[in-house]
Amino acid sequence: MPHLPAFHDYAHGITCIDTELIRPGLAACYLIQHEGMAGFVDTGVNSSVPGLLQVLEHKRIPRENVAWVMPTHVHLDHAGGAGLLLQELPAARLLIHPRGARHMIDPTQLSAGATAVYGKQAFQRMYGELVPVAESRISIAEEGFVLDFNGRSLRFLDTPGHARHHYCIHDAMSAGLFTGDTFGASYPELNTASQRFIFPPTTPIQFDPDAWAVSLQRLMGLQPERIYVTHYGKHENPAPLYQQLLDCLQEYVALAAAHAASSDRVAALQAALLQSSINRILATGSTLGSTLDSDTIGQVLDGDMRLNAQGLDYWLNQA
């Protein structure tokens, strides 16, 4: 019998589904249901697709009721499975940022870029062969576009900083935002009931701290009550997370400048970013009685901080 991934139903017809990339609780996508219409925000990777279809079957949602597949941006943990998923959804269209459409039609550059970051074997293991999306099935979400989701209003906002092909979605019904990577990453293992740890994923290659800060300010201007992040899950009361992200962006820029002349800049940045994260979590945990230790934190965040270091290194090279 096909495998049913972990999922969690929230209010307002929103379901968070674990896309099972690398480990549980690393990456999610979201299923939205409203008045008989369904859609996915982000898709995970090719290996995520059978699980997404199994969730539809579990919920007795006919595949033809899925009208939209909406990757927040074209990084493969968010959009790598889009082409394969669309093959299984006969009525669905892909709704994509204008800068991302060409990469979904011809994913050659996406494959090459991810292979350069991860290596050929790791790329194949995580992502497999990317499936192109026919241009006839693609719609473009320009800045400010409002999708009528069967009477539910979804507004799309251009939010560069993490990537220039990134949008976020404001869902008026839930007073929430689907934020992809723009509102950071926050893993369940590192959070407590009263405190959230969040950081900006500065993965290669389009990190822009000034644009990112503006994007975050725009999102907070909508006065969201909650955010739905790909990494990972729903977070209420975004204001403290917003301040954490702004502070962290400033710190990342300072660390990049401090290690710009290092002989092995990526390694130096990775170590500095990881230590900064450990320090932040332990400082908070000491006041909340957390049992997290440096080794556990390092195991969770080491891969992310390696990618963040590569992104900062690329940014420094473009300065």
Side-chain angles (χ1 to χ4, degrees):
M1 183 174 178
H3 170 69
L4 183 67
F7 67 90
H8 187 84
D9 291 324
Y10 301 137
H12 311 290
I14 297 169
T15 299
C16 175
I17 306 171
D18 196 317
T19 58
E20 301 185 321
L21 178 65
I22 302 176
R23 60 176 172 80
L26 175 70
C29 71
Y30 294 90
L31 174 66
I32 306 175
Q33 301 172 74
H34 184 72
E35 301 294 338
M37 180 177 283
F40 286 100
V41 178
D42 287 339
T43 67
V45 297
N46 281 341
S47 61
S48 308
V49 171
L52 304 190
L53 298 175
Q54 190 64 16
V55 171
L56 292 178
E57 184 174 336
H58 179 80
K59 290 178 168 291
R60 299 183 180 179
I61 300 171
R63 294 186 186 187
E64 56 268 24
N65 285 19
V66 181
W68 297 101
V69 173
M70 300 169 277
T72 55
H73 58 302
V74 302
H75 288 166
L76 297 185
D77 51 334
H78 299 256
L84 185 61
L85 182 60
L86 282 161
Q87 288 184 342
E88 303 293 335
L89 304 174
R93 295 184 63 79
L94 186 82
L95 189 55
I96 195 74
H97 189 286
R99 290 180 178 268
R102 64 186 179 92
H103 295 293
M104 304 308 294
I105 295 167
D106 179 4
T108 304
Q109 271 190 284
L110 292 180
S111 296
T115 299
V117 172
Y118 296 103
K120 186 173 182 179
Q121 288 187 338
F123 171 82
Q124 286 295 326
R125 184 174 64 252
M126 288 191 292
Y127 304 120
E129 295 296 326
L130 303 184
V131 177
V133 178
E135 188 172 0
S136 61
R137 297 188 69 182
I138 291 179
S139 296
I140 302 298
E142 300 279 359
E143 159 65 27
F145 171 72
V146 177
L147 176 65
D148 180 355
F149 195 84
N150 229 15
R152 181 174 185 159
S153 176
L154 300 178
R155 180 184 173 195
F156 291 73
L157 298 100
D158 180 25
T159 54
H162 172 76
R164 290 192 291 271
H165 46 79
H166 200 304
Y167 64 52
C168 292
I169 307 170
H170 180 239
D171 174 31
M173 178 171 288
S174 69
L177 289 164
F178 296 93
T179 60
D181 284 342
T182 297
F183 222 103
S186 183
Y187 295 131
E189 305 98 309
L190 303 180
N191 292 327
T192 70
S194 57
Q195 182 68 29
R196 296 287 185 268
F197 169 75
I198 200 163
F199 67 92
T202 61
T203 47
I205 59 174
Q206 294 178 350
F207 173 59
D208 183 336
D210 294 332
W212 204 328
V214 172
S215 292
L216 287 169
Q217 185 178 30
R218 289 191 65 210
L219 294 178
M220 287 304 295
L222 297 171
Q223 298 183 321
E225 296 177 14
R226 55 194 55 87
I227 56 173
Y228 305 95
V229 301
T230 301
H231 312 285
Y232 179 95
K234 180 181 71 170
H235 298 268
E236 304 281 351
N237 186 24
L241 303 180
Y242 166 66
Q243 190 58 55
Q244 270 197 68
L245 286 170
L246 290 182
D247 293 345
C248 201
L249 283 169
Q250 291 181 348
E251 183 181 21
Y252 278 21
V253 168
L255 287 173
H259 294 281
S262 297
S263 57
D264 189 344
R265 191 161 66 189
V266 171
L269 280 169
Q270 180 181 352
L273 293 168
L274 183 58
Q275 190 60 54
S276 170
S277 299
I278 290 171
N279 292 345
R280 286 173 56 202
I281 294 170
L282 292 181
T284 301
S286 65
T287 65
L288 297 173
S290 172
T291 58
L292 286 170
D293 57 72
S294 297
D295 289 342
T296 301
I297 298 167
Q299 289 170 10
V300 174
L301 289 178
D302 187 62
D304 288 278
M305 295 307 148
R306 181 173 63 254
L307 291 174
N308 278 10
Q310 292 172 355
L312 291 174
D313 177 65
Y314 187 91
W315 175 67
L316 285 168
N317 287 336
Q318 306 311 302

